[in-house]
Amino acid sequence: MDPFAPDPAFAAGSVFVADWDLCHVRLQDDARFPWLILIPRVDDATELDDLSEGDRVRLMAEIVRAGDRVRSLGSALGQVVEKLNVAAIGNVTAQLHVHVVGRRRDDGLWPDPVWGRGPSAPYAARLRTALESLGSN
Amino acid sequence: MDPFAPDPAFAAGSVFVADWDLCHVRLQDDARFPWLILIPRVDDATELDDLSEGDRVRLMAEIVRAGDRVRSLGSALGQVVEKLNVAAIGNVTAQLHVHVVGRRRDDGLWPDPVWGRGPSAPYAARLRTALESLGSN
């Protein structure tokens, strides 16, 4: 098996933010919602039970950490998060990944989930601001 | 605050299965997908970070356990699960709950997520079979 690398499909809609203890962390390039993607750096994982018990505990901790970062990013962008949406779906891109999305009642899709609901709104010039807000966390 | 009780909204579309260590467990009454809902029995929790660190670890373990049960239920019903979809959304019913849904490429909605995508197909007479399949797990 190849060593871990994020599925190339992630590059099309998101940018690398950081490597945390377990996960490769990406910002979804969609200014409609503050939205991080956590990809555990574990080869060939597609389901939560492909992770060791220790890695599952780490993943839960990093999901909570990502929720904090999403709230901070939302505040920095004037999109104060009212609810976090967390999901591991993987029907399109099978590599195990967890979405952590900040939602607001006025976000345009509420209360529907965000997945598969385009078109996305790339950050463009605001991407630098968003990444700086995520900073060294 | 009142002691824990599942939000009455859950009664409309799901049936009680079991109380696990942390979660009140329900079967979504939708024969399109084997689908369990985990509701941590923690008063006033709406986000993962409303749980203690210990309860988060328990929740992750029960999510994996629910995935096993969903696979078993799918097999019992002739709906062999190809991918698990796991999500904590809560935009409609705020009480913290986690969906664990078994998906198949021929399930009629693949690869879209299931949330907000009705109409559901109640089990009716098959509900007893589904519950029995979940049995004493």
Side-chain angles (χ1 to χ4, degrees), chain A residues 46-49 56-57 59-60 63-64 68 71 82-92 103 110-113 115, chain B residues 46-49 56-57 59-60 63-64 68 71 82-92 103 110-113 115:
Chain A
T46 59
E47 300 279 9
L48 293 170
D49 55 2
R56 280 180 225 150
V57 171
L59 177 59
M60 178 60 88
I63 289 169
V64 170
D68 287 342
R71 289 190 182 110
E82 297 174 291
K83 185 74 190 69
L84 294 170
N85 288 179
V86 176
I89 303 175
N91 301 345
V92 176
R103 303 298 306 276
W110 181 276
D112 291 342
W115 302 283
Chain B
T46 60
E47 300 280 8
L48 293 170
D49 54 3
R56 281 181 224 148
V57 170
L59 178 59
M60 177 60 87
I63 288 169
V64 169
D68 287 343
R71 289 189 182 111
E82 297 173 293
K83 185 73 190 72
L84 293 171
N85 287 180
V86 176
I89 303 176
N91 302 346
V92 176
R103 303 297 307 274
W110 180 277
D112 291 343
W115 302 284

Side-chain angles (χ1 to χ4, degrees), chain A residues 19 23-24 51 65 68 74 80 94 102 122 126 133:
Chain A
D19 272 317
C23 292
H24 172 103
L51 301 182
R65 184 180 176 189
D68 287 342
V80 176
R126 296 172 79 204
S133 158

